[in-house]
Amino acid sequence: MKKLVEPNFYESVMQNFDKAAALTNHAKGLLDQIRECNSIYQMNFPVKFGNQYEVIEAYRIQHSHHRAPTKGGIRFSEHVSQEEVMALAALMTFKCALVDVPFGGAKGGVKINHKKYSVDQLEKITRRYTVELIRKGFIGPSVDVPAPDYGTGSREMAWILDTYRTFAKDEIDAVGCVTGKPVAQNGIRGRTEATGRGVYYGIRELLKQEDEMKAIGLTPGIAGKTMVIQGLGNVGSYTASISKEEGDAKIIGIAEYDGTIYNPDGINVQKLISYKKSNGKVSGFPGGKLLKGKDDWLSIKCDILVPAALESTIHIGNAKKVKAKIIAEAANGPVTAKAEELLLKKGIIILPDMYLNAGGVTVSYFEWLKNLSHMRFGRMDKRFNENTNLNLVNLVEKMTGKKVSKANKKLLTKGGDEIDLVRSGLEETMLNAFHNIREVKNRRKKVNDYRAAAFINAIDKVAGDYMMMGIFP
Ligand code: GLU
């Protein structure tokens, strides 16, 4: 029997790309250009802690310049390597293309274990990293716009903005140099929850498709479906809480580094999130049984398995244990290319990362637009819409002679706040992208899975841009 060789993360992404690229009609040269990373900046910079210096290894990689600026998060993790950041940058290109966000893909990585540094030390590292990016022209609202990723959040983005602004004090659009900022510092409402909310919209949409559900023996609809989530970071927490609160899904398992909380009757997600916040771990949580095995989370029988942590967590060594009907990739690259082959053979549906976790960059795009327009969404039209709606309700009351209750009047006349508009824009984006991908999957005979369909859809869009530039006629 042929021995299966596990590709690393970058090889996995490239194998998936090649598989899909072979199903397109684009010229080889064009596909090669789309495939490769355009600019790679590897840096080593010193940071002084007390009277000691530490040399930090870091990266910013721009995968594709077919659109500007390039866009993608910055990761703080001790596993950062050039190939990891290359893979993540490539995924950003295809992610942005899929959800029609007009950016090229990029990613940054700082090779540190963020948990081992104090807040002051993290601030020093972040600011120095930003200076390196400024020096080499790797950041700017029209050049390359970072955002949060694993190990970073709005706090780090605020430091990046502050550092950038110090050097670009006359640049009117400077605040658009980074997204995922705190709302009070030119951020946007709804960015923090965006990736998890997008994951929820994507899963909900798949579960609405009667033919797909019939094929895997599920009834349509997310309500009551069992879900297991790996990772209770930003993406995992919001996926769990929104799926439960808005979709009525049953969260039966949540895994963290110290074990999996399992409760077949459903976990109280909010309680577990607060427990983890105060204790730094999930073990000891009274609302479920603790499973200690490394792969226990993926062996739980459930409808939807959501890996929401790091890459390559489902590989050929453990893929056989999966008992779920759907794998929803909230993380980037959680399933290796070889594991995917095994899982697809078992009839499992995989919703791919580059589609499913695109909610983060989608709302980053809204934030960037807000920054460039120097105005909050809803400021111009909220009252106008409320007054128009009120006139309509008043007219209906007058014509029918019936009174609309105060509560209903409020509901019917409400204009959109920033958060309402962001959520509705995100929902629209995730649903459109889902149906674009599904259309490719259903139309193309040789395409049987969502990842290949998503890649084809994204490659076609990027190729279209290059052809419009006249570079590849
Ligand atoms: N780091 C996120 C991702 O992987 C967000 C990127 C962004 O908002 O630019 O998609």
Side-chain angles (χ1 to χ4, degrees), residues 212-225:
E212 299 273 15
M213 293 306 106
K214 203 170 162 208
I216 55 173
L218 286 182
T219 52
I222 189 167
K225 296 295 182 302

Side-chain angles (χ1 to χ4, degrees), residues 90 112 121 164 219 231 306 385 394 404-405 409 426 463:
I112 53 164
Q121 290 174 326
Y164 184 84
T219 52
V306 187
N385 288 338
N394 287 343
V404 176
S405 73
K409 213 175 226 181
L426 174 61

Side-chain angles (χ1 to χ4, degrees), residues 226-230 252-254 260 297 300 302 304-307:
T226 53
M227 205 182 241
V228 172
I229 296 171
Q230 180 220 17
I252 60 167
I254 294 185
T260 301
W297 64 279
I300 298 172
C302 64
I304 311 149
L305 186 65
V306 187

Side-chain angles (χ1 to χ4, degrees), residues 326-369:
I326 296 165
I327 296 180
E329 293 186 338
N332 286 310
V335 177
T336 67
K338 282 281 171 275
E340 177 163 38
E341 284 172 21
L342 292 173
L343 296 163
L344 292 176
K345 269 188 205 140
K346 278 172 70 173
I348 295 172
I349 300 178
I350 302 180
L351 274 181
D353 48 6
M354 64 168 111
Y355 161 64
L356 199 64
N357 69 31
V361 76
T362 301
V363 176
S364 274
Y365 170 47
F366 301 156
E367 180 176 333
W368 181 76
L369 290 174

Side-chain angles (χ1 to χ4, degrees), residues 60 70-75 88 91-92 95-96 101 103 106-107 145-150 152 179-180 191 195 235 330-332 353-354 357-365 367:
R60 183 71 186 173
T70 48
K71 186 91 190 74
I74 293 172
R75 171 174 291 205
L88 292 163
L91 284 176
M92 284 310 304
K95 197 183 293 192
C96 290
V101 162
F103 300 138
K107 202 83 177 195
V145 182
D149 197 77
Y150 181 85
T152 59
T179 59
R191 174 62 185 86
T195 311
V235 182
N332 286 310
D353 48 6
M354 64 168 111
N357 69 31
V361 76
T362 301
V363 176
S364 274
Y365 170 47
E367 180 176 333

Side-chain angles (χ1 to χ4, degrees), residues 27-46:
K28 182 176 178 305
L30 173 53
L31 290 170
D32 288 346
Q33 175 59 33
I34 296 173
R35 187 183 195 273
E36 300 307 324
C37 285
N38 293 173
S39 306
I40 299 178
Y41 177 24
Q42 196 236 307
M43 61 205 104
N44 291 285
F45 54 80

Side-chain angles (χ1 to χ4, degrees), residues 273-285:
I273 293 174
S274 332
Y275 181 89
K276 204 209 133 195
K277 239 184 216 149
S278 10
N279 298 280
K281 55 182 183 177
V282 293
S283 45
F285 178 67

